[in-house]
Amino acid sequence: DERLRAIEEQRDQLEMSTSEQESAITVLRERVRMLGETLRTNDEQQGEMERQIASLERGQSAERQELARLEVEYRRAIVDAQRARDAIETLAAQIREELGAEDEVDPLPAIVGSAEEDAEEAEAAPPPTPEETAKMRRQIDSLRSRLKNLGGYDPEAPQQYEELKTRYDFMSAQVRDMQDASTNLRQIIAELDATMRRQFVETFHRVNERFQQHFVTLFSGGAARLELTAPRREQDEDEDEDETTSDEQRPLRKTSFGGVEVFVQIPGKRVQDLSLLSGGERAMVSAALLFALLGTNPPPFCLLDEVDAALDEANVVRFCDILKQLADQTQFIVITHNRVTMTHANAIYGVSMGPDSVSRILSMRLAEVPLAL
């Protein structure tokens, strides 16, 4: 029972404490609500004040700009007034010199005074101090001495001016003509450069096709091709020109198309470099390339000096077949010791030395040999 009474007393105390805390919480909630309303009011007032401050700052900035503009105009007005005073003083000095009244009453103060009155009325500028007046008089004396040092009037000056002006106009016209001619030449050079590159690419493709055909004919198979390679020196020059050369000077650079790389694959072998081929194989590759060039741009005649020296009989036959095809447009003169090549010729010329050590020339047309027999 005592423990139960103690628990009930403790419960009553807890209930009282709870009710007190609830009332305190209610008071605190009301206070928090009031403080929140006060905070919102303060935030609204702060926002309004910030907007007013921004508006005032904008107005202040506009006023500062207007003040700076007015200050510039004020300085300009002061400079104009000073120039007007200097002009008035110069005119007064000229009047004194022309009238010879330098020792009499000086009309300058009255003129300057009237100018100062006008300036005060128009611009509200203060009158010049005695120091400024003395400074202006010193400037007038300095200018007067400079005028005296210039000397007299040269009557031939207008004529010299006209002559120089005529020469200047003539030289200016010549310079314009040269500039126009330079522009036209640079345009022509750029067009020629583009045409040369286009024709080179077209010719290269035709030579490459004929080279592949002649290679297959000479080797009875295989494959070959030509590829363009850009030299590194040209790339370095292009990089240097991007930094040092102007756009007008770039078209004058020497046109370079790079090098040509030859790739061949002989029947039964893999793709090899020219340095790994035998002497006969290199001779046949060279002959295929030569025939491709001759077929692309046929010359009137062509001289071949022992081109077939490193070829066997089968390769010489194929070599001579290509010569016969190209002989329709080009006359071939072949120096050779090969009998197979001689049998494919139209005429044979031989040089021999007789007992008297004198060279003799023998000639024979193979088409006339059966008739002679």
Side-chain angles (χ1 to χ4, degrees):
D1 293 338
E2 292 178 357
R3 185 177 180 183
L4 181 61
R5 286 192 298 270
I7 290 173
E8 290 177 354
E9 291 177 358
Q10 186 177 0
R11 185 189 63 183
D12 295 338
Q13 292 178 356
L14 290 174
E15 288 178 354
M16 292 177 62
S17 177
T18 302
S19 61
E20 291 177 357
Q21 290 180 359
E22 288 178 354
S23 61
I25 289 173
T26 304
V27 173
L28 290 175
R29 286 178 179 174
E30 183 67 20
R31 187 176 179 184
V32 168
R33 185 181 62 78
M34 294 176 63
L35 290 175
E37 293 178 355
T38 305
L39 181 61
R40 283 194 298 274
T41 305
N42 292 334
D43 290 339
E44 293 176 356
Q45 293 178 357
Q46 183 179 1
E48 183 65 23
M49 293 178 67
E50 288 178 354
R51 286 192 293 273
Q52 293 178 359
I53 290 172
S55 177
L56 292 175
E57 288 179 350
R58 288 193 296 270
Q60 184 179 7
S61 177
E63 293 295 334
R64 287 178 179 176
Q65 293 178 358
E66 184 66 18
L67 178 61
R69 186 181 64 80
L70 293 175
E71 288 179 352
V72 172
E73 293 181 356
Y74 174 72
R75 295 193 190 95
R76 186 179 301 137
I78 293 176
V79 172
D80 294 340
Q82 184 65 35
R83 290 177 179 175
R85 291 170 191 164
D86 295 340
I88 292 172
E89 291 178 358
T90 303
L91 292 174
Q94 292 179 358
I95 293 171
R96 288 197 301 268
E97 290 179 356
E98 293 177 357
L99 299 178
E102 293 183 356
D103 297 334
E104 298 177 358
V105 179
D106 192 0
L108 179 62
I111 299 175
V112 175
S114 63
E116 291 175 353
E117 291 176 359
D118 295 338
E120 289 177 356
E121 293 176 358
E123 304 174 0
T129 60
E131 291 80 5
E132 294 178 351
T133 304
K135 182 178 179 181
M136 289 188 289
R137 291 186 180 276
R138 288 194 297 271
Q139 292 178 354
I140 292 172
D141 296 335
S142 176
L143 294 174
R144 186 179 300 167
S145 61
R146 290 178 60 185
L147 287 174
K148 291 180 179 179
N149 293 330
L150 289 177
Y153 168 71
D154 187 4
E156 297 181 356
Q159 183 179 359
Q160 294 178 359
Y161 169 77
E162 293 297 333
E163 293 177 355
L164 290 176
K165 186 175 182 300
T166 303
R167 181 171 178 79
Y168 172 77
D169 295 339
F170 174 75
M171 297 300 293
S172 299
Q174 293 293 323
V175 170
R176 288 194 296 270
D177 293 341
M178 294 296 293
Q179 290 177 350
D180 295 340
S182 176
T183 303
N184 294 333
L185 286 176
R186 293 180 188 279
Q187 184 178 1
I188 293 172
I189 290 172
E191 293 176 357
L192 288 176
D193 191 8
T195 303
M196 291 171 59
R197 288 181 179 273
R198 185 180 67 255
Q199 292 182 355
F200 175 81
V201 172
E202 294 175 357
T203 304
F204 177 78
H205 288 312
R206 291 199 300 268
V207 171
N208 190 16
E209 293 176 359
R210 293 179 180 272
F211 173 68
Q212 295 175 3
Q213 295 174 2
H214 295 320
F215 182 86
V216 173
T217 301
L218 290 175
F219 285 91
S220 298
R225 70 180 186 278
L226 301 176
E227 290 186 3
L228 288 175
T229 59
R232 183 173 180 81
R233 187 177 67 179
E234 181 184 359
Q235 299 176 359
D236 297 339
E237 290 177 356
D238 291 340
E239 294 177 357
D240 296 338
E241 286 182 355
D242 291 340
E243 299 177 355
T244 60
T245 307
S246 62
D247 295 336
E248 296 181 354
Q249 297 176 351
R250 286 178 184 173
L252 298 178
R253 182 175 59 84
K254 183 179 180 181
T255 305
S256 176
F257 299 101
V260 178
E261 189 72 22
V262 181
F263 297 93
V264 297
Q265 182 180 5
I266 298 175
K269 298 182 181 180
R270 59 183 180 84
V271 179
Q272 293 179 338
D273 189 59
L274 293 179
S275 60
L276 301 177
L277 301 179
S278 63
E281 291 173 344
R282 279 185 285 184
M284 294 177 65
V285 172
S286 302
L289 181 57
L290 176 62
F291 291 151
L293 295 174
L294 295 177
T296 303
N297 187 14
F301 69 92
C302 178
L303 177 64
L304 302 178
D305 187 5
E306 297 187 6
V307 178
D308 55 352
L311 304 180
D312 55 9
E313 186 174 351
N315 293 329
V316 170
V317 172
R318 293 191 289 268
F319 174 80
C320 294
D321 292 338
I322 297 176
L323 279 181
K324 280 189 174 182
Q325 295 176 4
L326 298 177
D328 296 337
Q329 297 179 347
T330 303
Q331 181 182 5
F332 286 95
I333 302 173
V334 182
I335 301 174
T336 181
H337 294 282
N338 196 308
R339 292 177 296 175
V340 178
T341 305
M342 296 178 188
T343 58
H344 288 78
N346 295 329
I348 300 175
Y349 298 90
V351 180
S352 62
M353 183 179 294
D356 53 356
S357 300
V358 177
S359 297
R360 297 179 180 179
I361 299 177
L362 304 177
S363 62
M364 179 177 61
R365 292 185 176 273
L366 297 182
E368 299 176 356
V369 171
L371 297 178
L373 294 175

